[in-house]
Amino acid sequence: AAVRFTNVPSFVWDTGVGVETRAGTIACDVSYGGAFYASVAAGDVGLRVAKEDLPRLIEVGREIKQAIEGAHDVVHPDEPELRGVYGVIFFEEAPADGHALGQRNVTIFADGEVDRSPCGSGTSARLALLDASGELRRGDTLRHESIVGSVFTARVSGETDGGVITEVEGSAYRTGAHEFFLDPADPVRTGFLLR
């Protein structure tokens, strides 16, 4: 079944941010889509968004994240507690399959973790960049494919002060259920508040 959500306002923090890595100087675009992401064309680091290149993508992604955070204070302008680069998105062009634009990506986040999905907040961060560059027109759909072939479709649906509103859609499947109940003998069964 398909699930769609409207995300928080997404925006471009900066483009062409140069960072020094063992692969040389890399130009990154940093944007926000619920977290900050650095976007890098996989070809710019001599790699492809492919399983065979994943160990190297993880290595370079960690290096880029550390380099940006070591040289720049990436902070949300309205919410200063939201800071730092959460992940690095490596992308390449991919078949659009009837959509306006197709890209394939892998998101290296946290401390070298790999997102098996195209990354919801990362997709919104990519949309902010694609909108700002004019590469994707408002209302047109991006087909965003992950390294394992899962797909999100997404679009910019509007704008707000300092950002764009994005919609992201993907597949969801029920994988389990959990039932909560209150034990009448539990002295804190309805919760507690400490202030």
Side-chain angles (χ1 to χ4, degrees):
V3 174
R4 179 185 309 141
F5 69 91
T6 300
N7 201 11
V8 299
S10 303
F11 60 89
V12 176
W13 184 80
D14 200 1
T15 58
V17 177
V19 292
E20 293 300 322
T21 70
R22 284 177 282 176
T25 302
I26 306 296
C28 307
D29 296 330
V30 180
S31 56
Y32 179 84
F36 285 103
Y37 294 88
S39 286
V40 178
D44 288 355
V45 292
L47 299 170
R48 295 170 305 120
V49 178
K51 182 174 69 172
E52 305 79 46
D53 286 353
L54 190 56
R56 185 76 177 115
L57 288 163
I58 293 169
E59 181 183 318
V60 175
R62 291 170 108 176
E63 193 176 356
I64 290 170
K65 179 181 188 295
Q66 290 171 358
I68 292 173
E69 290 184 334
H72 303 278
D73 195 16
V74 179
V75 180
H76 193 290
D78 300 325
E79 299 181 50
E81 66 278 6
L82 298 174
R83 59 179 51 244
V85 174
Y86 182 66
V88 176
I89 299 172
F90 293 101
F91 68 93
E92 62 191 17
E93 298 307 310
D97 290 351
H99 301 283
L101 180 65
Q103 290 189 341
R104 183 172 165 84
N105 85 92
V106 63
T107 302
I108 310 301
F109 70 98
D111 188 27
E113 305 300 315
V114 176
D115 197 334
R116 62 111 188 131
S117 81
C119 185
S121 56
T123 296
S124 290
R126 290 288 309 139
L127 284 171
L129 289 164
L130 294 169
D131 179 78
S133 71
E135 199 172 340
L136 185 69
R137 292 184 331 192
R138 295 264 169 101
D140 284 353
T141 304
L142 167 69
R143 182 182 185 278
H144 215 203
E145 180 183 346
S146 78
I147 195 167
V148 299
S150 54
V151 175
F152 285 165
T153 56
R155 67 186 182 97
V156 171
S157 60
E159 64 183 89
T160 185
D161 290 341
V164 294
I165 303 300
T166 63
E167 292 178 3
V168 179
E169 182 176 314
S171 299
Y173 302 92
R174 184 175 173 167
T175 59
H178 184 86
E179 182 179 349
F180 290 93
F181 61 92
L182 296 176
D183 184 334
D186 184 349
V188 292
R189 68 184 166 275
T190 59
F192 55 91
L193 182 63
L194 296 175
R195 281 198 198 172

